[in-house]
PDB file of all heavy atoms in Angstrom:
ATOM      1  N   TRP A  31     142.225 187.915  55.602  1.00 47.00           N
ATOM      2  CA  TRP A  31     142.538 188.862  56.673  1.00 47.00           C
ATOM      3  C   TRP A  31     142.749 188.112  57.955  1.00 47.00           C
ATOM      4  O   TRP A  31     142.089 187.177  58.336  1.00 47.00           O
ATOM      5  CB  TRP A  31     141.257 189.775  56.912  1.00 47.00           C
ATOM      6  CG  TRP A  31     141.172 190.773  55.713  1.00 47.00           C
ATOM      7  CD1 TRP A  31     140.586 190.576  54.598  1.00 47.00           C
ATOM      8  CD2 TRP A  31     141.414 192.114  55.752  1.00 47.00           C
ATOM      9  NE1 TRP A  31     140.635 191.621  53.665  1.00 47.00           N
ATOM     10  CE2 TRP A  31     141.164 192.709  54.539  1.00 47.00           C
ATOM     11  CE3 TRP A  31     141.958 192.928  56.777  1.00 47.00           C
ATOM     12  CZ2 TRP A  31     141.326 194.035  54.126  1.00 47.00           C
ATOM     13  CZ3 TRP A  31     142.224 194.414  56.406  1.00 47.00           C
ATOM     14  CH2 TRP A  31     141.853 194.785  55.093  1.00 47.00           C
ATOM     15  N   ASP A  33     143.955 188.717  62.247  1.00 52.00           N
ATOM     16  CA  ASP A  33     143.510 189.644  63.328  1.00 52.00           C
ATOM     17  C   ASP A  33     144.300 190.992  63.422  1.00 52.00           C
ATOM     18  O   ASP A  33     143.829 192.080  63.599  1.00 52.00           O
ATOM     19  CB  ASP A  33     143.624 188.997  64.713  1.00 52.00           C
ATOM     20  CG  ASP A  33     142.546 187.855  64.817  1.00 52.00           C
ATOM     21  OD1 ASP A  33     141.600 187.904  63.982  1.00 52.00           O
ATOM     22  OD2 ASP A  33     142.777 187.008  65.742  1.00 52.00           O
ATOM     23  N   GLU A  34     145.658 190.774  63.106  1.00 49.00           N
ATOM     24  CA  GLU A  34     146.562 191.955  63.159  1.00 49.00           C
ATOM     25  C   GLU A  34     146.254 192.954  62.099  1.00 49.00           C
ATOM     26  O   GLU A  34     146.235 194.232  62.255  1.00 49.00           O
ATOM     27  CB  GLU A  34     148.025 191.454  63.037  1.00 49.00           C
ATOM     28  CG  GLU A  34     148.485 190.702  64.202  1.00 49.00           C
ATOM     29  CD  GLU A  34     149.951 190.225  64.019  1.00 49.00           C
ATOM     30  OE1 GLU A  34     150.491 190.626  63.043  1.00 49.00           O
ATOM     31  OE2 GLU A  34     150.482 189.618  65.004  1.00 49.00           O
ATOM     32  N   CYS A  35     145.902 192.456  60.881  1.00 46.00           N
ATOM     33  CA  CYS A  35     145.545 193.324  59.752  1.00 46.00           C
ATOM     34  C   CYS A  35     144.248 194.030  60.086  1.00 46.00           C
ATOM     35  O   CYS A  35     144.064 195.280  59.759  1.00 46.00           O
ATOM     36  CB  CYS A  35     145.380 192.514  58.386  1.00 46.00           C
ATOM     37  SG  CYS A  35     146.903 191.884  57.784  1.00 46.00           S
ATOM     38  N   LEU A  36     143.301 193.321  60.588  1.00 50.00           N
ATOM     39  CA  LEU A  36     142.005 194.057  60.908  1.00 50.00           C
ATOM     40  C   LEU A  36     142.233 195.080  62.000  1.00 50.00           C
ATOM     41  O   LEU A  36     141.659 196.178  61.842  1.00 50.00           O
ATOM     42  CB  LEU A  36     141.024 192.934  61.437  1.00 50.00           C
ATOM     43  CG  LEU A  36     140.381 192.060  60.439  1.00 50.00           C
ATOM     44  CD1 LEU A  36     139.642 190.918  61.154  1.00 50.00           C
ATOM     45  CD2 LEU A  36     139.535 192.802  59.454  1.00 50.00           C
ATOM     46  N   GLN A  37     143.042 194.810  62.995  1.00 52.00           N
ATOM     47  CA  GLN A  37     143.298 195.855  64.026  1.00 52.00           C
ATOM     48  C   GLN A  37     143.991 196.984  63.523  1.00 52.00           C
ATOM     49  O   GLN A  37     143.572 198.159  63.923  1.00 52.00           O
ATOM     50  CB  GLN A  37     143.999 195.152  65.140  1.00 52.00           C
ATOM     51  CG  GLN A  37     144.308 196.045  66.323  1.00 52.00           C
ATOM     52  CD  GLN A  37     145.036 195.393  67.406  1.00 52.00           C
ATOM     53  OE1 GLN A  37     145.412 194.155  67.353  1.00 52.00           O
ATOM     54  NE2 GLN A  37     145.338 196.042  68.586  1.00 52.00           N
ATOM     55  N   TYR A  38     144.937 196.816  62.602  1.00 49.00           N
ATOM     56  CA  TYR A  38     145.715 197.937  62.033  1.00 49.00           C
ATOM     57  C   TYR A  38     144.731 198.839  61.168  1.00 49.00           C
ATOM     58  O   TYR A  38     144.864 200.047  61.263  1.00 49.00           O
ATOM     59  CB  TYR A  38     146.905 197.457  61.233  1.00 49.00           C
ATOM     60  CG  TYR A  38     147.618 198.585  60.544  1.00 49.00           C
ATOM     61  CD1 TYR A  38     148.610 199.368  61.245  1.00 49.00           C
ATOM     62  CD2 TYR A  38     147.466 198.771  59.136  1.00 49.00           C
ATOM     63  CE1 TYR A  38     149.264 200.264  60.515  1.00 49.00           C
ATOM     64  CE2 TYR A  38     148.018 199.868  58.509  1.00 49.00           C
ATOM     65  CZ  TYR A  38     148.969 200.644  59.165  1.00 49.00           C
ATOM     66  OH  TYR A  38     149.637 201.626  58.506  1.00 49.00           O
ATOM     67  N   THR A  39     143.936 198.228  60.363  1.00 49.00           N
ATOM     68  CA  THR A  39     142.989 198.917  59.435  1.00 49.00           C
ATOM     69  C   THR A  39     142.118 199.772  60.292  1.00 49.00           C
ATOM     70  O   THR A  39     141.773 200.866  59.941  1.00 49.00           O
ATOM     71  CB  THR A  39     142.238 198.027  58.594  1.00 49.00           C
ATOM     72  OG1 THR A  39     143.276 197.157  57.769  1.00 49.00           O
ATOM     73  CG2 THR A  39     141.388 198.733  57.603  1.00 49.00           C
ATOM     74  N   LEU A  40     141.515 199.257  61.309  1.00 52.00           N
ATOM     75  CA  LEU A  40     140.509 200.031  62.181  1.00 52.00           C
ATOM     76  C   LEU A  40     141.219 201.122  62.805  1.00 52.00           C
ATOM     77  O   LEU A  40     140.541 202.215  62.966  1.00 52.00           O
ATOM     78  CB  LEU A  40     139.901 199.005  63.172  1.00 52.00           C
ATOM     79  CG  LEU A  40     138.910 197.939  62.653  1.00 52.00           C
ATOM     80  CD1 LEU A  40     138.587 196.997  63.756  1.00 52.00           C
ATOM     81  CD2 LEU A  40     137.727 198.645  61.991  1.00 52.00           C
ATOM     82  N   GLN A  41     142.388 200.987  63.222  1.00 53.00           N
ATOM     83  CA  GLN A  41     143.095 202.128  63.919  1.00 53.00           C
ATOM     84  C   GLN A  41     143.356 203.279  63.038  1.00 53.00           C
ATOM     85  O   GLN A  41     143.484 204.543  63.352  1.00 53.00           O
ATOM     86  CB  GLN A  41     144.472 201.606  64.450  1.00 53.00           C
ATOM     87  CG  GLN A  41     144.327 200.685  65.706  1.00 53.00           C
ATOM     88  CD  GLN A  41     145.733 200.306  66.171  1.00 53.00           C
ATOM     89  OE1 GLN A  41     146.683 200.400  65.512  1.00 53.00           O
ATOM     90  NE2 GLN A  41     145.622 199.498  67.226  1.00 53.00           N
ATOM     91  N   GLN A  42     143.409 202.964  61.633  1.00 52.00           N
ATOM     92  CA  GLN A  42     143.713 204.157  60.675  1.00 52.00           C
ATOM     93  C   GLN A  42     142.440 204.814  60.314  1.00 52.00           C
ATOM     94  O   GLN A  42     142.469 205.922  59.617  1.00 52.00           O
ATOM     95  CB  GLN A  42     144.263 203.500  59.374  1.00 52.00           C
ATOM     96  CG  GLN A  42     145.460 202.750  59.600  1.00 52.00           C
ATOM     97  CD  GLN A  42     146.674 203.682  60.141  1.00 52.00           C
ATOM     98  OE1 GLN A  42     146.885 204.770  59.821  1.00 52.00           O
ATOM     99  NE2 GLN A  42     147.306 203.089  61.283  1.00 52.00           N
ATOM    100  N   MET A  43     141.165 204.305  60.694  1.00 56.00           N
ATOM    101  CA  MET A  43     139.872 204.987  60.347  1.00 56.00           C
ATOM    102  C   MET A  43     139.684 206.141  61.277  1.00 56.00           C
ATOM    103  O   MET A  43     140.064 206.147  62.443  1.00 56.00           O
ATOM    104  CB  MET A  43     138.707 203.982  60.487  1.00 56.00           C
ATOM    105  CG  MET A  43     138.765 202.859  59.431  1.00 56.00           C
ATOM    106  SD  MET A  43     137.452 201.668  59.652  1.00 56.00           S
ATOM    107  CE  MET A  43     136.125 202.813  59.134  1.00 56.00           C
ATOM    108  N   PRO A  44     138.967 207.223  60.768  1.00 54.00           N
ATOM    109  CA  PRO A  44     138.706 208.493  61.655  1.00 54.00           C
ATOM    110  C   PRO A  44     137.732 208.036  62.823  1.00 54.00           C
ATOM    111  O   PRO A  44     136.864 207.035  62.649  1.00 54.00           O
ATOM    112  CB  PRO A  44     138.048 209.401  60.672  1.00 54.00           C
ATOM    113  CG  PRO A  44     137.455 208.606  59.570  1.00 54.00           C
ATOM    114  CD  PRO A  44     138.511 207.309  59.428  1.00 54.00           C
ATOM    115  N   MET A  45     137.821 208.703  63.803  1.00 56.00           N
ATOM    116  CA  MET A  45     136.890 208.465  65.054  1.00 56.00           C
ATOM    117  C   MET A  45     135.509 209.002  64.801  1.00 56.00           C
ATOM    118  O   MET A  45     135.360 210.112  64.305  1.00 56.00           O
ATOM    119  CB  MET A  45     137.499 209.076  66.367  1.00 56.00           C
ATOM    120  CG  MET A  45     136.673 208.857  67.577  1.00 56.00           C
ATOM    121  SD  MET A  45     137.519 209.393  69.081  1.00 56.00           S
ATOM    122  CE  MET A  45     138.980 208.456  69.077  1.00 56.00           C
ATOM    123  N   ILE A  46     134.445 208.162  65.159  1.00 54.00           N
ATOM    124  CA  ILE A  46     133.082 208.587  64.945  1.00 54.00           C
ATOM    125  C   ILE A  46     132.556 208.762  66.413  1.00 54.00           C
ATOM    126  O   ILE A  46     132.512 207.842  67.229  1.00 54.00           O
ATOM    127  CB  ILE A  46     132.302 207.534  64.181  1.00 54.00           C
ATOM    128  CG1 ILE A  46     132.977 207.504  62.759  1.00 54.00           C
ATOM    129  CG2 ILE A  46     130.869 207.905  64.150  1.00 54.00           C
ATOM    130  CD1 ILE A  46     132.323 206.249  61.956  1.00 54.00           C
TER     131      ILE A  46
END
Side-chain angles (χ1 to χ4, degrees):
W31 289 77
D33 293 342
E34 293 180 357
C35 292
L36 287 171
Q37 184 177 1
Y38 176 80
T39 302
L40 290 172
Q41 288 175 353
Q42 302 303 314
M43 293 179 67
M45 183 176 294
I46 299 174

